[in-house]
């Protein structure tokens, strides 16, 4: 496969049928390719979401942080997945990291107002 989207589509097909480990294998190959920072960051987010669905928060959060750190200086669009990223950090007891990344993401409202949606912290139940 030569395009990032091809990896995502293939991984998604496996995920739909609950073959998450196979989807993870595909996305791990994708993030090793010479794609743009934004594509690799997106791949890390996807990997984090897959691991989160497997209830492996430590691995999920490690991928989420890799994505955020990699793309720290990039301008990227808002995604509702950022709420999931922040919630995952909270659920794993990583409160300081959650506060740091929430602040970082909210500051992105200077170019995309939707990042303001992250101002309200979801309480754990």
């Amino acid at each position: 496969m030569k395009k990032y989207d091809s990896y995502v589509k293939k991984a998604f097909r496996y995920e739909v049928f609950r073959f998450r480990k196979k989807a993870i294998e595909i996305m791990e190959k994708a993030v090793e390719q010479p794609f743009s920072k934004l594509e690799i960051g997106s791949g890390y987010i996807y990997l984090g979401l897959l691991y989160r669905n497997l209830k492996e928060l430590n691995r999920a959060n490690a991928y989420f942080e890799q994505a955020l750190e990699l793309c720290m200086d990039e301008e990227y669009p808002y995604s509702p997945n950022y709420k999931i990223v922040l919630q995952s950090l909270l659920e794993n007891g990583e409160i300081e990291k959650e506060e740091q990344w929430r602040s970082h993401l909210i500051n992105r409202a200077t170019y995309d107002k939707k990042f303001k949606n992250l101002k309200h912290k979801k309480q754990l139940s």
Side-chain angles (χ1 to χ4, degrees), residues 3-54:
K3 292 187 175 185
Y4 173 73
D5 288 345
S6 299
Y7 283 92
V8 173
K9 287 175 185 173
K10 188 171 183 179
F12 182 74
R13 283 195 299 271
Y14 281 106
E15 184 185 6
V16 166
F17 294 105
R18 303 250 189 253
F19 294 120
R20 289 193 180 108
K21 296 277 187 186
K22 187 67 178 168
I24 287 169
E25 282 178 33
I26 291 164
M27 290 311 298
E28 284 177 341
K29 289 177 186 170
V31 298
E32 293 173 0
Q33 302 305 310
F35 296 129
S36 73
K37 280 186 180 182
L38 290 177
E39 289 170 326
I40 294 170
S42 173
Y44 287 149
I45 294 285
Y46 192 4
L47 281 163
L49 294 170
L50 289 166
Y51 277 111
R52 181 176 165 76
N53 286 334
L54 292 172

Side-chain angles (χ1 to χ4, degrees), residues 82-96:
Y82 297 124
K83 286 183 179 181
I84 296 168
V85 169
L86 295 172
Q87 186 63 25
S88 187
L89 291 167
L90 279 178
E91 288 172 8
N92 207 35
E94 300 176 65
I95 296 164
E96 286 181 24

Side-chain angles (χ1 to χ4, degrees), residues 65-81:
E65 280 203 275
Q66 272 186 280
L68 293 169
E69 287 172 6
L70 177 68
C71 298
M72 189 175 278
D73 298 325
E74 302 288 320
E75 196 170 288
Y76 50 83
Y78 173 80
S79 167
N81 286 333

Side-chain angles (χ1 to χ4, degrees), residues 68 76 82 85-86 100-109 115-116 118:
L68 293 169
Y76 50 83
Y82 297 124
V85 169
L86 295 172
Q100 170 199 340
W101 288 115
R102 179 181 300 278
S103 175
H104 173 80
L105 290 167
I106 290 170
N107 287 337
R108 293 178 171 274
F115 280 100
K116 288 183 180 179
L118 301 174

